[in-house]
Every structure is written in C-alpha cells, then in structure tokens.
C-alpha cells in the first residue's frame, strides 16, 4: 500500500465513519491481516473460557479450566509431575520457544478483557492526570518492570506457604471476576483504573506469567524485528511499549505479537522471521536485561526472607472432600474459586481474612443448607492443580471431611423428649453412621418410646447432610474437623 | 320380527347402555387393590392399573396429570432408593394413551434436585415418554399455595405445590422402603414431597403429619413400586444387599389400602404402622377387608 491511499476517502465511507481514513481495498486487506486473526483467536479463547465457566455452574460438568492446566508458572511454583499438568505445560512452552509471547496476545482471556477495556476507556487515557500517570510509569517502570520482581517472589512460593501467586495470576483473577466475588469485583475496578492510565498496564508491569513467557520469548526462534525505517513514527502505538524506536529494536520479552503495526508502516519494515544470530544486540538492551535479572533475583531474595516469617495459621476449617493433608492443600490451592463455582450444592465457601493470610481465599465447607453429596465429586474433578486430590468415588465415600457430633442440650430427642431422627434418615452412609437407641421414658405421665440418635465415629465421614437438615435452628448436630 | 319385539330389543339395548353410562363400573370385576407380579415392569404396571379399573377410569381425555414418584435421593436406580424409572415411564405412557393433555413429573428431592433427578434416571425416562419434568429447586411462594386441613391432628396448615392442586389427576408412584422413624415409606409418606414446608419440622410428629397431609390432598391413583423392596437402613439404603426382589407392582385407588397391602410384603401388620392405623381411624381408606386380586404375568 502506498501512503497515497491513506488520504483517499470514498464518499460512502466518509458518511459512516469520519475518523477512519481507510479505503475499501484497505479494508479488504485488513480483513486478511494477521491482526484480524489475532482478534478472532482472542475472542475464540475468551469464548472458550466463558463456555467452560458457564458449564462449570452445571453440576454435571467436570471440565477443568484448561487455562490453569497449561500454565508453566503454576507448574514451576508447585512442581507437580502429573501427566495432565506436564503435557499441556510443555506444549505451551514449546510454542513459546518458537513464537514468543503469543499466549498474552492471542490466548489469554484476561488479556482479551483488558484489550476490550482499553478500547472502551480510550477517551479517558487522553485526560491529563491519567496521561501523567502513564508517563510516570513509563519513565520509572518500563526498563525494569515489577512483573519480573513479582515473578521472582512468586517462584519462591515453591519453598514456602502461603502462595502469593494467587494475587498476581491472571487466569485465577478472571475466574474470580466471573464468579462475582468481592475480590473479583475489586479487581475489575482495578483493571478499569489500569486501562484508564495506560494500555495493557497489567500485562506490562504486573503479570508474572507474562514475565515468565517473556523470559522464554527472549530465546524464541521467531522474532519480530525492524529492518527498514522511515522514521515516520506511525507505528508508535505499541500497547506493550516493546519497541525501542530510536534503536530500531523490539524487546522480545515484552512483545506479545499483537501485529498492531500492520499497514501502518509505509516501508513495510517490520518482519516476523527466524532470528538472525548476526544481528548486534544494542547495549541499552543488554544493560536493561541485566537490570531485569537483578530485579528477579531481588524478588527471589525477598520471597525467601518472607518465607522465614511464614506462620501457617492452624484452623479448624472443613475442607472439600478428599483433602487430608492440610499444609499440602494450602500450598497447592490456587484460590481460583473453581470448586466454589462448580459445587452443585454451593456448600464450598471462600475463607476471608479470619483464617489468617495463609488461608485467605481458600475454600471451606459450610453445611447450613446442604451437605456434601455422597455420590458427587465434582470439586475433585475440576480442581486444576489437584489441591483437592482426585479420588475414585469409592475412596471419596470413605474419606473423612470431619466428624458429626450431637449437642445433647439442643437435640429434640435428648432435650425435649420429642422423636425426630431426621439426621438418621438422611445419613447417606449405607450402614448408617447415625444409629438410634430406643429407650422408654415417662413423659407427662405417659410412657413413650424415644429413639435417641448416636453418631458412630468409625462410619461417619462428616458429609454434613445431618447438620443441614437438623430442624433445630442452631443445629443440634454439627460437623467438626478431627 | 314383530314390531313389539323390535322395540323391546331397541329399548332394552338403549337402557343397557344408559345404565352403563350412569353406573359405569357396577357390573365390572374391578378391585380395590391390584397386585401384579412379573419381570416385565411395564406390563405389570398396566395390568395392575387394569385390575383397579383401567387408566381410563382415572384419566379422561384432555386431563392434566401429575405423577409424583419418589425422587428423593441422589442414588442410582439399582439401589432402589427412588421409584424405578421404568415404572414412571410406564405410568406416563399410560396417561398419554388415555389422551392426557399434559403430564408433569416432579418431586421435592432431599438431595440436590438436579443431581437426584438425573442419577435416579427418572428425568430421562419421564422426558422420553413425553412428560414435563420440573426441578423443584427453591420453595417459592409462586409454586406453592397454603391449604388448611380440617380435622388435622398436627398439620393444621401446610403449603402444597400448585400444580398438584390444579391438576385433574394426581398419580402417586412411591417406592416401598424401610424407614427408620416412620417404619415404612410407601404411598402416604410419599406425599411429604408435595409440600413446601420445612419437612424436618414434621418429624416432631411424623405419623400425624403423614396422615394429615393425606387428608388434605387425595391421590387418585397409587402405583407402588415393590419390585425390589428395601428392608433395611432405609430410606437412603445404598447397598443391594438391603434389597429383596419381589417383582411386584401394586395399584390402588386408595392410598391407605395400597400402603396396607405393601406393608404385608414386608411381613408387617398394617396396624403396627402408626400412620396407616391413623389413616384407617380418620377414614382415609380401608386397611383391611378391601377387595384384592393377585395376578402373575
């Protein structure tokens, strides 16, 4: 395309959109452009995410969120050598080593949301305070983005709990946003603010997953480079600010392959090709890379220092079925709220700050309305990181969540001499973990047979169904952690 | 033929049909309770209903029918904690054969409704037969209406599903199970699923509640699934060794008679079960001395 076509405006086009100065030929060309494919890919993967999220609200869906399974950062911080985790991670890493940070621009559902917000809040970014904020961030953070620091600190979570990964992982946050939890809504507000300041602010400065992909992208096979330049500065719109226009260099650790530059460059100087080994690395970039390395190291050190102060708060929280090893659970749980959304009975609740920092946002069970269904193991099947261990149904039916115990001062039979026995009726254990003892008792001058419920601790798995159905308001039978 | 003979013949025929119309079931050999044994449950259901008058006696063309099976527990059909899906399907089929306009199938499950409906196999069976399956998820005021029951011993007022109150025919399709606090759970106890109350509170006086709700709401036809009765650790069960295979289907127009007959299968005298005894005392139905026919296919 020649620059001349830019100025040519067809009469029909101008009535529809005045700001866009593109011709019909140009539109056709644009439709075939890589950027169009990228946007289709983003929409598609975002659709996949939404589909899986909506499906996970259905009790019969057992699809795990794939975005949390093919995640090298989660693998790196938990080192779980299970085929279901390793295979997708290796696949994504191989692709990254070939193409660079394609995940951020083409796949990441949060990236799609951020890009949508960027488009929406475009007018806000022109306002003075936001522009100043953007300039400030660019000046101080671009060379050494904090995401490197976060990455370093996050990787250290391998050695200690609580994982700080939960505060920075994009795919965890997007599930929280969709589940409309308080933390998710706060985060959405934060994203709005980010978009008002600068495009892809989260991806540029904060996202540790992006930083990890960035490191891999540094040695990727294909790279985007500037071969010719007419110094027209038309391409100066990189959302990641990856391009260093003065040095005609593109920082591959920041480049997310968005192809926004397409058709802007009058000399078609951008080329995406196998990197040349002969090309000299600018000094500036090398220095910057070393700086970044120092930042990662600083993060690692800080994480280690924090790990010495780590005190796991001991709680009596009831965990989802199958969780036997509590410290292991705390370590592996991504706090992604997937089990909370998937539970058909909605008994999995999110722990707030009352459980201490290490239990923040972890799932626990509350049996106010429903118990844990005897024949259901959806939470085990959807857990992306196997924090809730995957068991066979037979195994799950034998694993203890807790133990039910009867408060005799509240129970209708013990306290009010009224036959009730709802808990026994609902007990799903085939042999009945709650049995009854018949005793005769004189009540108001009349001898009646009372059936006293008794919990057999060897059989009870603490599913909480008895607690849910107990007619006493404050629940005469309750499940406690053993 | 003489004219007089002709007229005689015409009038007597007309008279015969008039009598049939006015007193349709006088001469027929129908029984209070029909018991049918056989492997083919679908056939057993239709034969049992035939013994108590045939489906056409209950379902008239254009009627709206509610079939209320026992869909209480999230457990698979072979554990028999819920009504057999084959039996539910057979009943729905019969209703449509009798030209019912709509058939609803629902229950208020004790476990998660969606899981329960699907695991029990009833959702699929009923839908395949053309019935509408309703997931009673939350007990909202829209779905339930308050009724007051006269001469109730405990349950003066309760809420009952609107569809049941508005339907033309209400078919009760329970499964016969052991029940620790009620003794047995068959047809009368199955009506606990039509209420919107907190059923846990009914357990304070369970027997009275069961007989009261049966005074308040009458089922037109009761078809008991006694193909595999659960004689132990009911009503949830959970193991096949708690089941006894009887391959029996019991139909009755009266819920108390059906329950009394089914109690006999467990070897329990109907009078020993308090709510069945109360049903007799309150005049819900005969629990002995009813006409019955046992039939094996």
């Amino acid at each position: 395309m020649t620059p001349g076509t830019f100025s040519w405006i067809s009469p029909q086009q101008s009535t529809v959109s005045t700001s866009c100065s593109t011709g019909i030929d140009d539109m056709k060309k644009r439709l075939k452009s890589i950027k169009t494919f990228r946007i289709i890919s983003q929409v598609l993967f975002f659709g996949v995410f939404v589909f899986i999220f909506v499906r996970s609200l259905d009790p019969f869906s057992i699809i795990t969120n794939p975005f949390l399974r093919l995640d090298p950062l989660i693998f790196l911080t938990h080192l779980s050598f299970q085929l279901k985790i390793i295979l997708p991670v290796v696949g994504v890493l191989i692709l990254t080593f070939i193409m660079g940070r394609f995940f951020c621009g083409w796949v990441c559902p949060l990236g799609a949301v951020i890009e949508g917000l960027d488009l929406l809040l475009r007018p806000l970014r022109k306002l003075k305070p936001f522009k100043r904020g953007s300039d400030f961030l660019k000046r101080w953070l671009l060379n050494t983005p904090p995401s490197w620091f976060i990455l370093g600190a996050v990787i250290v979570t391998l050695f200690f709990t609580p994982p700080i990964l939960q505060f920075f992982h994009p795919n965890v946050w997007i599930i929280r946003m969709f589940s409309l939890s308080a933390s998710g809504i706060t985060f959405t507000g934060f994203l709005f603010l980010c978009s008002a300041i600068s495009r892809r602010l989260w991806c540029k400065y904060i996202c540790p997953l992006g930083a990890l992909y960035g490191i891999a992208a540094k040695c990727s096979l294909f790279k985007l480079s500037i071969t010719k330049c007419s110094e027209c500065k038309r391409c100066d719109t990189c959302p990641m600010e990856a391009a260093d226009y003065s040095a005609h260099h593109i920082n591959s650790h920041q480049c997310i392959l968005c192809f926004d530059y397409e058709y802007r460059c009058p000399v078609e100087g951008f080329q995406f090709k196998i990197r040349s080994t002969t090309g000299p690395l600018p000094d500036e970039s090398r220095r910057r890379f070393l700086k970044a390395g120092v930042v990662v190291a600083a993060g690692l050190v800080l994480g280690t220092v924090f790990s010495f102060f780590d005190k796991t708060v001991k709680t009596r929280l009831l965990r989802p079925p199958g969780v036997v090893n509590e410290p292991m659970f705390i370590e592996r749980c991504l706090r992604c709220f997937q089990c909370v959304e998937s539970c058909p009975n909605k008994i999995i609740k999110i722990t707030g700050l009352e459980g201490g920092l290490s239990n923040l946002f972890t799932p626990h069970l509350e049996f106010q309305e429903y118990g844990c269904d005897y024949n259901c193991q959806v939470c085990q099947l959807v857990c992306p990181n196997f924090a809730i261990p995957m068991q066979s149904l037979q195994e799950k039916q034998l694993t203890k969540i807790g133990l039910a115990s009867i408060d005799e001062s509240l129970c209708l039979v013990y306290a009010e001499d009224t036959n009730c026995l709802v808990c026994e009726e609902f007990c799903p254990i085939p042999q009945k973990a709650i049995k009854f003892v018949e005793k005769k008792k004189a009540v108001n001058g009349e001898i009646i047979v009372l059936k006293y419920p008794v919990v057999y601790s060897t059989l009870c798995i603490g599913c909480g169904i008895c607690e849910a159905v107990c007619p006493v308001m404050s629940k005469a039978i309750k499940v406690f952690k053993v | 033929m003489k004219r007089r003979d002709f007229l005689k013949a015409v009038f007597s025929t007309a008279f015969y049909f008039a009598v049939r119309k006015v007193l349709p079931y006088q001469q027929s050999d129908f029984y209070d309770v029909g018991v049918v044994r056989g492997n083919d449950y679908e056939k057993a259901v239709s034969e049992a209903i035939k013994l108590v008058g045939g489906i056409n006696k209950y379902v008239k063309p254009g009627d709206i029918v509610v079939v209320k099976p026992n869909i209480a527990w999230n457990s698979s059909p072979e554990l028999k904690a819920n009504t057999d899906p084959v039996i539910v399907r057979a009943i729905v089929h019969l209703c449509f054969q009798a030209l019912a306009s709509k058939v609803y199938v629902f229950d208020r499950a004790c476990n998660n409704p969606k899981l329960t409906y699907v695991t029990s196999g009833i959702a699929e069976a009923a839908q395949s037969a053309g019935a509408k399956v309703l997931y009673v998820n939350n007990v909202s005021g829209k779905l339930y209406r308050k009724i007051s029951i006269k001469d109730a011993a405990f349950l003066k007022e309760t809420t009952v599903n609107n569809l049941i109150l508005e339907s033309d025919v209400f078919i009760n399709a329970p499964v016969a199970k052991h029940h620790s606090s009620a003794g047995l759970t068959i047809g009368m106890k199955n009506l606990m699923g039509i209420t919107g109350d907190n059923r846990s509170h009914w357990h304070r006086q369970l027997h009275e509640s069961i007989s009261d709700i049966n005074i308040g709401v009458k089922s037109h036809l009761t078809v008991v699934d006694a193909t595999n009765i659960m004689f132990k650790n009911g009503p949830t069960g959970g193991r096949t060794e708690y089941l006894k295979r009887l391959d029996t289907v019991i139909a009755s127009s009266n819920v108390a008679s059906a329950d009394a007959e089914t109690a006999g299968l467990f070897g329990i005298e109907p009078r020993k079960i308090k709510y069945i005894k109360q049903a007799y005392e309150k005049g819900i139905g005969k629990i002995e001395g009813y006409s019955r026919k046992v039939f094996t296919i």
Side-chain angles (χ1 to χ4, degrees):
Chain A
M1 182 193 359
T2 56
T5 41
F6 265 101
S7 55
W8 182 75
I9 303 162
S10 73
Q12 297 99 336
Q13 199 88 29
S14 61
T15 50
V16 179
S17 62
T18 46
S19 66
C20 179
S21 60
T22 49
I24 288 171
D25 286 352
D26 192 37
M27 284 297 285
K28 274 184 191 163
K29 215 169 179 185
R30 264 176 189 243
L31 280 179
K32 277 188 216 155
S33 69
I34 306 176
K35 192 185 171 186
T36 317
F37 284 113
R38 182 180 71 87
I39 289 168
I40 291 171
S41 156
Q42 265 187 319
V43 170
L44 219 70
F45 276 106
F46 183 68
V48 166
F49 171 79
V50 172
F51 172 77
I52 285 170
F53 183 83
V54 172
R55 282 286 296 152
S56 71
L57 303 178
D58 179 64
F60 290 96
S61 146
I62 47 165
I63 319 173
T64 314
N65 189 326
F67 298 105
L68 288 173
R69 277 274 165 87
L70 46 78
D71 196 308
L73 185 60
I74 290 174
F75 172 74
L76 210 63
T77 46
H78 294 93
L79 292 183
S80 37
F81 295 99
Q82 300 205 32
L83 274 187
K84 275 181 184 167
I85 291 180
I86 288 181
L87 287 180
V89 164
V90 167
V92 167
L93 278 181
I94 286 174
L95 282 176
T96 308
F97 277 121
I98 294 172
M99 303 204 294
R101 263 175 92 167
F102 79 99
F103 183 90
C104 307
W106 291 62
V107 181
C108 182
L110 190 73
V113 171
I114 290 175
E115 214 151 286
L117 285 179
D118 286 347
L119 215 61
L120 199 73
L121 300 181
R122 200 165 158 190
L124 270 184
R125 277 199 298 278
K126 287 176 186 150
L127 295 178
K128 215 170 181 190
F130 292 127
K131 208 164 165 73
R132 264 167 58 197
S134 165
D135 288 342
F136 175 81
L137 286 176
K138 208 189 274 184
R139 194 162 349 115
W140 290 104
L141 298 180
L142 190 63
N143 289 352
T144 47
S147 58
W148 296 76
F149 183 77
I150 293 165
L151 173 69
V154 159
I155 287 175
V156 177
T157 55
L158 179 58
F159 308 108
F160 81 109
T161 55
I164 49 171
L165 180 64
Q166 57 155 320
F167 298 112
F168 297 106
H169 199 286
N171 290 325
V172 168
W173 275 116
I174 194 166
I175 300 176
R176 291 182 186 167
M177 280 163 68
F178 269 75
S179 64
L180 296 178
S181 55
S183 52
I185 291 167
T186 317
F187 184 73
T188 315
F190 173 66
L191 281 189
F192 267 89
L193 183 71
C194 286
S195 282
I197 294 173
S198 166
R199 288 172 73 192
R200 284 216 178 234
L201 192 145
W202 167 271
C203 314
K204 248 185 299 197
Y205 302 130
I206 303 170
C207 180
L209 179 64
L212 184 67
Y213 280 130
I215 291 177
K218 266 273 172 235
C219 21
S220 67
L221 195 59
F222 281 84
K223 270 182 180 167
L224 193 68
S225 54
I226 303 171
T227 49
K228 272 185 273 175
C229 185
S230 64
E231 309 282 346
C232 67
K233 294 269 169 79
R234 243 182 221 142
C235 57
D236 197 1
T237 57
C238 176
M240 294 294 288
E241 279 145 35
D244 186 352
Y245 298 105
S246 53
H248 298 178
H249 177 71
I250 292 172
N251 294 311
S252 50
H253 70 270
Q254 286 286 61
C255 175
I256 56 168
L257 308 183
C258 69
F259 295 98
D260 269 0
Y261 62 84
E262 260 192 325
Y263 304 117
R264 285 214 182 92
C265 184
V267 292
E268 292 184 12
F270 285 91
Q271 278 192 335
F272 185 61
K273 57 174 190 187
I274 295 179
R275 77 185 140 155
S276 53
T277 42
T278 51
L281 202 67
D283 284 350
E284 180 70 15
S285 173
R286 184 174 289 150
R287 199 181 301 149
R288 192 185 291 171
F289 189 64
L290 283 173
K291 246 186 202 170
V294 170
V295 169
V296 176
L300 281 166
V301 169
L302 188 84
T304 324
V305 169
F306 267 137
S307 73
F308 284 110
F309 296 101
D310 169 43
K311 286 191 196 89
T312 309
V313 181
K314 279 240 184 309
T315 55
R316 311 285 291 161
L317 291 170
L318 297 165
R319 296 300 185 187
V323 176
V324 192
N325 188 344
E326 173 87 12
M328 178 92 151
F329 171 73
I330 298 284
E331 198 186 305
R332 297 198 63 97
C333 177
L334 298 171
R335 283 86 160 152
C336 69
F337 298 11
Q338 190 71 60
C339 51
V340 181
E341 288 307 312
S342 298
C343 179
N345 287 343
K346 302 280 172 234
I347 53 166
I348 306 184
K349 305 275 180 214
I350 300 155
T351 318
L353 269 170
E354 68 271 15
L357 197 62
S358 60
N359 289 307
L360 184 67
F361 297 149
T362 52
H364 70 270
L365 304 183
E366 276 173 24
F367 301 127
Q368 276 305 310
E369 276 165 44
Y370 275 111
C372 174
D373 200 288
Y374 192 58
N375 292 315
C376 169
Q377 48 174 163
V378 170
C379 52
Q380 299 186 345
L381 295 172
V382 298
C383 183
N385 203 25
F386 304 103
I388 307 170
M390 186 124 54
Q391 295 174 315
S392 66
L393 188 60
Q394 286 77 21
E395 231 179 310
K396 184 249 160 183
Q397 288 173 343
L398 292 172
T399 312
K400 283 179 194 297
I401 298 168
L403 182 65
S405 84
I406 297 171
D407 186 345
E408 295 186 3
S409 64
L410 289 171
C411 179
L412 290 180
V413 190
Y414 290 95
E416 291 180 30
D417 297 326
T418 315
N419 270 321
C420 172
L421 224 58
V422 188
C423 48
E424 193 266 2
E425 181 187 328
F426 274 72
C427 181
I429 314 291
Q431 303 94 323
K432 295 276 178 199
I434 300 172
K435 293 188 166 78
F436 59 88
V437 183
E438 282 189 2
K439 270 183 205 156
K440 277 182 189 162
K441 193 175 176 184
V443 180
N444 299 334
E446 201 184 335
I447 292 178
I448 54 167
V449 179
L450 283 175
K451 293 173 175 173
Y452 292 94
V454 182
V455 177
Y456 281 66
S457 54
T458 47
L459 289 169
C460 180
I461 60 164
C463 68
I465 294 178
C466 47
E467 184 179 330
V469 296
C470 182
V472 181
M473 215 35 150
S474 49
K475 304 293 176 195
I477 187 162
K478 268 189 181 159
V479 177
F480 295 99
K481 186 103 180 162
V482 267
Chain B
M1 195 188 276
K2 280 180 186 169
R3 190 200 290 163
R4 182 170 296 179
D5 289 344
F6 174 73
L7 286 176
K8 243 186 201 168
V10 166
F11 279 110
S12 60
T13 322
F15 182 70
Y16 172 75
F17 279 108
V19 167
R20 278 293 296 267
K21 193 84 185 165
V22 175
L23 310 160
Y25 306 107
Q26 284 294 309
Q27 302 103 329
S28 51
D29 42 2
F30 298 149
Y31 304 91
D32 289 340
V33 175
V35 183
V36 174
R37 282 174 208 212
N39 273 330
D40 185 352
Y41 299 156
E42 227 156 305
K43 204 177 167 200
V45 169
S46 71
E47 290 298 323
I49 294 177
K50 252 180 217 163
L51 286 180
V52 294
I55 191 75
N56 291 318
K57 180 183 163 189
Y58 302 97
V59 181
K60 299 280 180 279
D63 276 0
I64 294 172
V65 184
V66 169
V67 179
K68 195 237 167 259
N70 188 332
I71 325 175
W73 309 102
N74 178 16
S75 85
S76 52
E78 62 269 15
L79 295 173
K80 298 302 287 180
N82 306 306
T83 310
D84 199 306
V86 178
I87 287 174
V88 177
R89 193 174 60 206
I91 295 170
V92 176
H93 266 310
L94 284 174
C95 291
F96 279 121
Q97 273 169 29
L99 301 175
S101 62
K102 262 182 194 166
V103 180
Y104 292 102
V105 174
F106 61 89
D107 190 4
R108 192 171 152 214
C110 294
N111 293 148
N112 182 291
K114 201 145 193 207
L115 289 178
T116 308
Y117 274 53
V118 174
T119 318
S120 66
I122 293 175
E124 203 200 332
Q127 264 157 0
S128 72
K132 275 203 173 132
V133 176
L134 303 177
Y135 297 92
V136 182
N137 220 340
N138 50 340
V139 193
S140 65
K142 259 188 201 169
L143 268 173
Y144 289 85
R145 207 193 311 158
K146 199 167 246 179
I147 60 162
S148 51
I149 303 166
K150 265 194 227 164
D151 14 282
F154 173 72
L155 213 63
K156 303 276 186 215
E157 256 186 2
T158 184
T159 51
V160 172
N161 196 302
N162 267 335
L163 276 171
I164 288 171
L165 296 174
E166 284 159 12
S167 66
D168 301 304
V169 185
F170 174 36
I171 298 177
N172 189 356
V175 59
K177 286 187 292 183
H178 163 256
H179 193 281
S180 42
S181 39
L184 291 175
T185 160
I186 320 168
M188 289 176 69
K189 171 93 175 50
N190 194 28
L191 285 208
M192 275 182 88
I194 67 171
T195 179
D197 290 5
N198 182 348
R199 291 175 287 183
S200 292
H201 292 297
W202 289 23
H203 281 249
R204 285 165 185 262
Q205 284 191 315
L206 188 60
H207 295 276
E208 286 75 9
S209 302
I210 294 171
S211 49
D212 288 348
I213 186 91
N214 278 282
I215 297 172
V217 179
K218 292 266 192 297
S219 49
H220 299 96
L221 178 63
T222 306
V223 182
V224 183
D225 169 12
T227 52
N228 279 287
I229 58 169
M230 185 190 294
F231 59 90
K232 202 178 154 189
N233 287 349
T236 49
R239 284 206 178 158
T240 40
E241 53 268 31
Y242 305 151
L243 304 178
K244 194 162 130 195
R245 190 163 176 160
L246 293 178
D247 286 342
T248 306
V249 173
I250 294 165
S252 173
S253 54
N254 190 291
V255 66
S257 309
D259 278 19
E261 180 66 32
T262 316
L265 295 178
F266 286 87
I268 297 173
E269 209 186 304
R271 275 176 190 284
K272 291 270 164 68
I273 308 286
K274 205 169 154 195
Y275 68 83
I276 300 182
K277 193 178 152 210
Q278 282 171 351
Y280 171 68
E281 285 161 1
K282 289 175 180 175
I284 293 171
K286 294 180 195 167
I287 61 166
E288 54 198 9
Y290 46 79
S291 65
R292 61 192 280 273
K293 166 112 181 159
V294 183
F295 177 68
T296 310
I297 46 170

